[in-house]
Amino acid sequence: MQQDREQKQILNRYRGLLRSCRNSVTRDDVKQISKAIKEVTKLYADKRTAAGNPYVYHLIDVARICVDEIGLGGTSIVAALLHDTITDKLLSLIEIEKRYSPTIANIVDGLSKITSLDPKDPNKQAENFRELILTLSTDARVILIKLADRLEEMRSLSAMPPDIRLKLSWETYHLYAPLAHRLGLYRLKSEMEDLAMKYTNEADYRMILRKLKNTTTRRNKFIREFIEPIEGELTKKGFDFEVKGRPKTVYSIWKKMQKKGVGFDEVYDVFAIRVILNSPPDSEKSDCWQVYSIITDSYTPNPERLRDWISVPKSNGYESLQTTVVGPDGKWVEVQIRSKRMDDIAERGLAAHWKYKGIKQDRGLDQWVEKVREILETPVSAPEEFVDQFKLNLYQNEVFAFTPNGDLRKYPQGATILDFAFDIHSDVGSKCVGAKVNGRNVPIKQPLQNGDVIEIITSKNQKPKTDWLQIVITGKARSKIKQCLREDKNKQLSLGKEMLYRRLKNWKISDTDEAIATLQKHLKLRSIAELFELISLDRVNLTELKAVLVKAESHEADQSQIPEEPIKPRVKDGKELSSTDYLVIDEKLVDVDYKLAKCCNPIFGDSIFGFVTINEGIKIHRTSCPNAAQLHRKYGYRVVNAKWKETKADTSFQTSIKIVGFDELGIVNRISELISKDLKVNMRSFSMNSSNGMFEGRIQVFVSDTKHLETLLYRLGRIKGVQKAVRVGGEV
């Protein structure tokens, strides 16, 4: 019996959903919605909400909010019905893509990434902020459906245990309500704040609610008296209009009480009058000002309470002309004047922006989304830094500044002249030395103020400095400064390298690798890059470096004057080996002192030869070693043949790899994961330089043989963004 009632209720909810969206979906959408309803009813047959109802009720109610209160269409409805299936491991991303569409699959996948926040763990909080923004940057419907899901949860919160109620209320108040506000979803934001307050500050919530109910009759009478003269004048002027009176939300009244330190009876604007005009877009602004004139002819306005969000809309797209006037009995009344389009956007936010796309005033939200993407492109050192940047764009007030041509630009509170310069163009920012603000010279760290007219002053000799990162706060400026600093350092390294190689050539030193290793060891540097940087900055004396190399060379020459010990013939089983016999190299060889040459790092499988040194025994070189020709030509009598013997499986050889590709986000992580995790290769070192969107890296790894190396090079070359991966000789 109960099962029959529940099935009937599911059917009624489904029909209600179809009635709500009948004007915004196609026949194919209806088929997809019906298919999704049947699927989730089956998948969640045994799951119940905290109130004991079938879980599918919750899914249909979320979809209904998406339609009725946000204004989304068929794709979003299906995604809302399926929104928990990946998280609950009932469907996979591929299954949703095959059964429905790639778009729906991507939305559901994005929703699965937004996990619950833990207010006690800032690191986890930062990661969740990151997921929210990532999904917003690809498809805003993910965020809108998540907001609908959270609103439905808050409406059903009374059935939850007290600790869960507090946790969800905290998340809603600190994350979801401000996010709804930023997307222009005023109705959702207000209800979320009220519901969150209901469970976090129940006493004040019920007190304000009780007082609002007690004053309903008196308030309605006051609103009728206030509207009467205005309606008459608007009708005479021929306006097509609607006038509404509504009380402010419980939370907004409580917030005013806290801010001003007053009681409920002392909050003078507990309700607002809204005049909504049915005007065409080309005349809606002038019509709003005419209505303002009619209202202020009847009632005295407070000039300090005039808010013109028509000429300069808020960044979330909100447009309205707001004023506060003295109504009947000397009471203050807030009046909002807006067109039907403005009211639609104010109530339904981002979804209404899609409907009115193309109208110039609606660029505000698009600009905000672009700012979010800039944050994503800015690397941060810690998750907390990311949270700070996100909150900055989400909550803080904005500053409006003008270019000399009169173009209006918006920035977060605290932005500086340098932020403004980089926003104009990265080249302008890089060469910025100051600005003229309202005709007065100011430094680059000067904070922007509302209404400033700014003319940037540049110098061709100026370039970004490290301390600039402490001046700017916008993601775009930080990203460009870091990029310029990296490019400048790469230029210094290239210059130092070129200077050193030119000097080595002049000094007639042919073995450059050995010379650089000698200098690095002498100066006690951790990397060759440090050597190049010191030379480019003129922090080392090249004459002194020459003396170091000459001394090392003379020491080697002195060693060569010592009479060589005659090379004893190699004997095996009592017989002398001929010159055509091979020296067998493996780890069991104990009667011959040998080393693998660092100039070419031979590995098992390479074609090799041995070279008899004076003090270090026999060194094994690859036949393709860059020094091979010189050794054969000058010291042919010290060259011996060699070949590999089969080695143990766990034997490893060190070799160097050069890898070149596009410098894009995550490339280093993909390379290191392939080497260490996928192929289980031991990596000794990894260095990388980037310039003009490209990178060149050097990796030292341990491999078992040439086949192992070939597999590694092939897999590296298949990584997205990698152009080539090749083996190189010598140390990195």
Side-chain angles (χ1 to χ4, degrees):
M1 191 72 176
Q2 182 182 355
Q3 188 176 6
D4 291 340
R5 284 199 305 269
E6 289 175 350
Q7 288 298 323
K8 187 176 180 180
Q9 182 64 244
I10 292 171
L11 183 61
N12 289 337
R13 287 171 185 260
Y14 167 56
R15 288 171 177 168
L17 176 63
L18 290 182
R19 283 195 298 271
S20 293
C21 66
R22 63 181 180 273
N23 295 325
S24 59
V25 296
T26 64
R27 187 172 297 176
D28 289 338
D29 288 334
V30 173
K31 290 180 181 178
Q32 293 271 62
I33 294 168
S34 177
K35 181 179 177 181
I37 288 281
K38 290 176 183 176
E39 184 148 35
V40 295
T41 302
K42 184 178 179 180
L43 291 172
Y44 288 101
D46 299 326
K47 186 172 181 179
R48 302 240 157 204
T49 64
N53 296 319
Y55 192 72
V56 72
Y57 286 10
H58 164 74
L59 300 175
I60 297 174
D61 289 346
V62 171
R64 188 74 181 265
I65 292 172
C66 290
V67 177
D68 292 342
E69 301 181 52
I70 303 179
L72 297 176
T75 299
S76 300
I77 294 170
V78 176
L81 292 169
L82 301 171
H83 75 267
D84 277 338
T85 53
I86 292 180
T87 304
D88 294 337
K89 296 181 172 55
L90 299 174
L91 291 175
S92 68
L93 181 66
I94 296 174
E95 286 173 329
I96 297 174
E97 186 173 329
K98 287 180 178 178
R99 297 180 195 181
Y100 297 94
S101 74
T103 302
I104 291 172
N106 288 333
I107 293 173
V108 177
D109 185 47
L111 285 160
S112 71
K113 294 175 182 176
I114 306 176
T115 54
S116 296
L117 290 175
D118 183 355
K120 296 179 182 178
D121 186 348
N123 290 331
K124 187 175 179 182
Q125 183 182 6
E127 288 302 317
N128 282 279
F129 268 107
R130 188 188 301 274
E131 294 294 347
L132 278 170
I133 301 174
L134 282 170
T135 49
L136 176 62
S137 67
T138 54
D139 194 327
R141 286 172 292 192
V142 174
I143 299 299
L144 296 172
I145 295 171
K146 183 60 186 177
L147 290 173
D149 176 49
R150 177 47 61 105
L151 179 59
E152 206 287 323
E153 281 185 322
M154 293 300 293
R155 288 173 176 175
S156 311
L157 206 56
S158 59
M160 296 281 189
D163 58 328
I164 300 297
R165 290 203 296 260
L166 284 174
K167 184 177 186 296
L168 294 181
S169 296
W170 185 94
E171 290 175 6
T172 300
Y173 174 71
H174 288 284
L175 175 59
Y176 293 105
L179 190 57
H181 173 70
R182 201 61 165 116
L183 294 173
L185 297 165
Y186 178 80
R187 191 183 300 166
L188 262 70
K189 170 248 186 189
S190 300
E191 187 175 351
M192 282 182 178
E193 288 175 338
D194 278 6
L195 290 171
M197 182 183 173
K198 178 180 178 181
Y199 296 106
T200 56
N201 196 344
E202 187 175 359
D204 285 348
Y205 175 83
R206 296 197 179 281
M207 179 271 293
I208 295 172
L209 199 62
R210 185 176 64 253
K211 286 184 176 291
L212 283 173
K213 287 180 180 178
N214 292 341
T215 58
T216 299
T217 303
R218 189 172 60 207
R219 189 168 61 249
N220 289 341
K221 179 175 180 292
F222 179 87
I223 290 172
R224 285 196 302 272
E225 291 176 357
F226 181 88
I227 289 174
E228 188 175 348
I230 298 174
E231 284 183 322
E233 285 299 316
L234 292 176
T235 303
K236 283 182 186 178
K237 297 289 185 181
F239 285 109
D240 182 5
F241 67 94
E242 179 184 5
V243 181
K244 297 179 181 178
R246 62 165 185 83
K248 288 186 177 294
T249 64
V250 173
Y251 175 77
S252 64
I253 293 172
W254 177 80
K255 198 172 178 182
K256 287 202 172 190
M257 291 168 60
Q258 298 300 309
K259 184 178 179 181
K260 297 183 178 180
V262 297
F264 176 86
D265 296 330
E266 297 173 84
V267 179
Y268 58 77
D269 52 350
V270 295
F271 62 91
I273 306 292
R274 185 177 298 169
V275 181
I276 303 171
L277 304 174
N278 192 10
S279 299
D282 56 349
S283 64
E284 58 184 4
K285 188 184 292 187
S286 60
D287 287 351
C288 286
W289 281 108
Q290 284 189 56
V291 172
Y292 171 80
S293 178
I294 290 170
I295 292 171
T296 53
D297 284 345
S298 301
Y299 300 107
T300 304
N302 181 347
E304 294 181 359
R305 299 278 296 172
L306 176 62
R307 299 290 183 270
D308 179 11
W309 299 114
I310 295 179
S311 302
V312 183
K314 290 185 179 181
S315 62
N316 61 10
Y318 177 84
E319 294 175 76
S320 184
L321 191 60
Q322 293 179 193
T323 186
T324 303
V325 299
V326 181
D329 302 326
K331 292 184 178 179
W332 291 102
V333 184
E334 181 183 298
V335 183
Q336 301 170 353
I337 307 164
R338 60 179 70 156
S339 69
K340 180 71 174 63
R341 177 190 69 81
M342 296 174 188
D343 188 61
D344 198 8
I345 290 174
E347 294 297 318
R348 303 173 82 179
L350 184 58
H353 275 274
W354 295 336
K355 178 179 176 182
Y356 295 104
K357 202 70 176 173
I359 298 178
K360 185 177 179 181
Q361 290 94 326
D362 292 328
R363 278 289 296 160
L365 187 69
D366 297 332
Q367 290 171 354
W368 179 74
V369 173
E370 288 169 8
K371 297 292 183 186
V372 172
R373 289 199 181 97
E374 288 173 15
I375 292 178
L376 293 175
E377 294 166 1
T378 306
V380 295
S381 56
E384 292 84 353
E385 184 181 344
F386 187 89
V387 175
D388 292 340
Q389 288 186 346
F390 178 76
K391 286 182 176 178
L392 179 71
N393 282 267
L394 190 62
Y395 300 111
Q396 287 196 357
N397 294 328
E398 292 168 320
V399 177
F400 300 89
F402 295 87
T403 68
N405 295 329
D407 293 332
L408 178 64
R409 293 178 180 262
K410 299 179 184 180
Y411 300 92
Q413 189 79 37
T416 63
I417 292 296
L418 203 51
D419 287 302
F420 183 92
F422 275 101
D423 189 44
I424 298 297
H425 195 279
S426 56
D427 286 341
V428 175
S430 298
K431 294 179 171 58
C432 178
V433 293
K436 281 190 175 182
V437 176
N438 306 323
R440 183 172 56 88
N441 289 333
V442 298
I444 59 174
K445 61 183 179 181
Q446 174 84 9
L448 303 179
Q449 301 294 328
N450 274 322
D452 280 347
V453 179
I454 301 168
E455 180 184 353
I456 299 297
I457 302 171
T458 61
S459 169
K460 63 181 181 180
N461 298 322
Q462 180 69 295
K463 63 179 182 179
K465 301 174 179 63
T466 305
D467 60 359
W468 282 15
L469 294 171
Q470 307 302 318
I471 296 175
V472 298
I473 66 170
T474 57
K476 181 178 181 180
R478 292 181 65 84
S479 178
K480 292 298 181 184
I481 292 169
K482 288 180 179 180
Q483 181 183 338
C484 290
L485 292 173
R486 283 196 302 268
E487 290 174 356
D488 190 49
K489 185 168 184 178
N490 289 337
K491 286 178 183 177
Q492 285 182 349
L493 294 179
S494 298
L495 176 62
K497 183 177 180 180
E498 183 184 344
M499 290 171 64
L500 180 58
Y501 274 74
R502 189 166 60 243
R503 289 301 182 98
L504 292 176
K505 186 177 180 181
N506 292 340
W507 298 336
K508 300 192 179 339
I509 296 175
S510 56
D511 192 348
T512 55
D513 290 341
E514 189 66 26
I516 290 173
T518 301
L519 294 176
Q520 182 183 345
K521 183 178 179 181
H522 173 74
L523 295 172
K524 299 179 181 178
L525 302 176
R526 288 176 296 179
S527 67
I528 298 173
E530 289 184 39
L531 174 62
F532 295 153
E533 187 176 8
L534 290 174
I535 293 172
S536 68
L537 297 174
D538 202 23
R539 291 180 182 170
V540 291
N541 191 322
L542 288 172
T543 306
E544 292 178 3
L545 296 185
K546 180 181 179 182
V548 171
L549 295 176
V550 170
K551 183 178 179 182
E553 195 172 45
S554 63
H555 177 71
E556 186 175 326
D558 291 340
Q559 290 288 334
S560 66
Q561 297 301 316
I562 300 173
E564 289 186 13
E565 293 180 13
I567 299 172
K568 296 178 181 179
R570 289 169 289 125
V571 177
K572 185 176 182 182
D573 298 331
K575 295 181 180 179
E576 182 177 328
L577 298 177
S578 69
S579 60
T580 57
D581 288 326
Y582 284 81
L583 177 65
V584 178
I585 305 301
D586 71 346
E587 69 275 17
K588 294 179 182 177
L589 193 59
V590 295
D591 57 342
V592 176
D593 183 18
Y594 78 91
K595 291 182 180 178
L596 300 179
K598 292 184 178 181
C599 54
C600 57
N601 285 335
I603 63 176
F604 185 83
D606 282 332
S607 176
I608 56 173
F609 67 92
F611 180 77
V612 182
T613 65
I614 297 171
N615 299 318
E616 297 182 270
I618 297 175
K619 281 198 174 182
I620 307 303
H621 294 260
R622 286 157 52 192
T623 55
S624 59
C625 174
N627 297 322
Q630 182 181 355
L631 294 176
H632 279 278
R633 186 174 66 252
K634 290 186 177 181
Y635 310 103
Y637 62 96
R638 292 160 66 179
V639 173
V640 294
N641 293 324
K643 69 176 182 181
W644 299 101
K645 184 182 178 182
E646 203 61 38
T647 63
K648 291 181 181 178
D650 59 353
T651 303
S652 61
F653 299 84
Q654 183 176 306
T655 189
S656 301
I657 294 173
K658 175 182 176 182
I659 187 165
V660 178
F662 300 101
D663 188 8
E664 57 188 32
L665 190 65
I667 188 69
V668 174
N669 190 44
R670 292 199 291 273
I671 293 171
S672 59
E673 279 196 352
L674 172 70
I675 296 173
S676 302
K677 292 184 180 179
D678 295 357
L679 297 180
K680 310 296 183 187
V681 173
N682 187 11
M683 183 166 54
R684 182 188 173 195
S685 65
F686 187 0
S687 62
M688 187 176 85
N689 288 321
S690 63
S691 178
N692 298 323
M694 300 293 294
F695 79 89
E696 178 176 322
R698 291 295 180 98
I699 312 171
Q700 273 194 326
V701 294
F702 290 93
V703 294
S704 57
D705 53 31
T706 51
K707 289 183 179 179
H708 191 192
L709 176 60
E710 286 171 3
T711 301
L712 176 58
L713 293 175
Y714 172 78
R715 292 289 300 277
L716 286 172
R718 295 289 301 275
I719 293 176
K720 182 182 177 182
V722 173
Q723 282 192 317
K724 67 176 181 178
V726 295
R727 180 184 180 185
V728 293
E731 294 181 297
V732 176

